[in-house]
Amino acid sequence: MHNTSHGAHPKDTDNIVVGLDNSPSAPAALRWAIEEAAKCAGTVTVVSTFDGGQRADVALSRDPDHDLSEHQRHALDWVARLVHPLKSKVPLVVTTPRATVVDGLVAAAKGARCVVIGRPQDPRLQQLPRDLAGRCLCPVVVVDPSDPDNPVVA
């Protein structure tokens, strides 16, 4: 598993981009993305955006670089804990760009097979599937944790 904070990702059409957040839907979205990437010998790019201006759920310090570093560490730990039991051989890249959720996912999706997100739980993100579908050139797949085997295309 690799980490990058500047948004770099593989540039092939077998790359699947998945959004990471703290919702119960995120693990289902990541598992689905890994299963799909395994079917096509693809890769998975996990995007966990860092937008300090929108982070009302955590206390931020006066050092934005420290906060980003902590965010990166938490994202890597979360992904590692989730994928370890899967014993997957799918290559993973974890990226933590300083961007809004939409901007970060759209940037990572350039040339991707699809973008995968969990069904938004946060009321502020209810429009996320529609916003992504309007800006991404690839399909946007929404995974519901209550029915992870039947995702919908936004």
Side-chain angles (χ1 to χ4, degrees):
M1 180 172 12
H2 300 287
N3 176 47
T4 178
S5 61
H6 51 76
H9 55 79
K11 295 210 186 266
D12 61 39
T13 56
D14 290 331
N15 181 43
I16 297 175
V17 173
V18 62
L20 165 68
D21 64 7
N22 294 324
S23 75
S25 298
L30 181 56
R31 283 186 204 101
W32 188 88
I34 290 170
E35 290 170 7
E36 285 301 303
K39 292 175 188 175
C40 67
T43 61
V44 171
T45 297
V46 180
V47 178
S48 178
T49 60
F50 182 77
D51 183 2
Q54 298 297 317
R55 295 298 310 263
D57 60 329
V58 295
L60 298 174
S61 74
R62 293 180 188 220
D63 181 356
D65 291 332
H66 170 76
D67 293 337
L68 177 59
S69 179
E70 284 296 302
H71 179 80
Q72 290 168 337
R73 186 178 62 77
H74 288 294
L76 284 168
D77 288 349
W78 185 91
V79 171
R81 281 193 312 271
L82 188 63
V83 300
H84 178 72
L86 301 177
K87 308 261 190 268
S88 173
K89 301 287 188 209
V90 170
L92 291 170
V93 174
V94 177
T95 182
T96 55
R98 289 182 196 232
T100 65
V101 173
V102 172
D103 289 344
L105 286 170
V106 168
K110 290 183 177 132
R113 179 184 200 94
C114 66
V115 173
V116 182
I117 60 170
R119 184 176 46 82
Q121 308 291 306
D122 186 328
R124 296 172 295 175
L125 296 174
Q126 291 302 310
Q127 298 302 316
L128 180 60
R130 186 176 55 139
D131 293 345
L132 288 171
R135 291 189 49 201
C136 289
L137 298 177
C138 62
V140 175
V141 177
V142 182
V143 178
D144 188 322
S146 65
D147 192 11
D149 295 327
N150 293 304
V152 297
V153 177

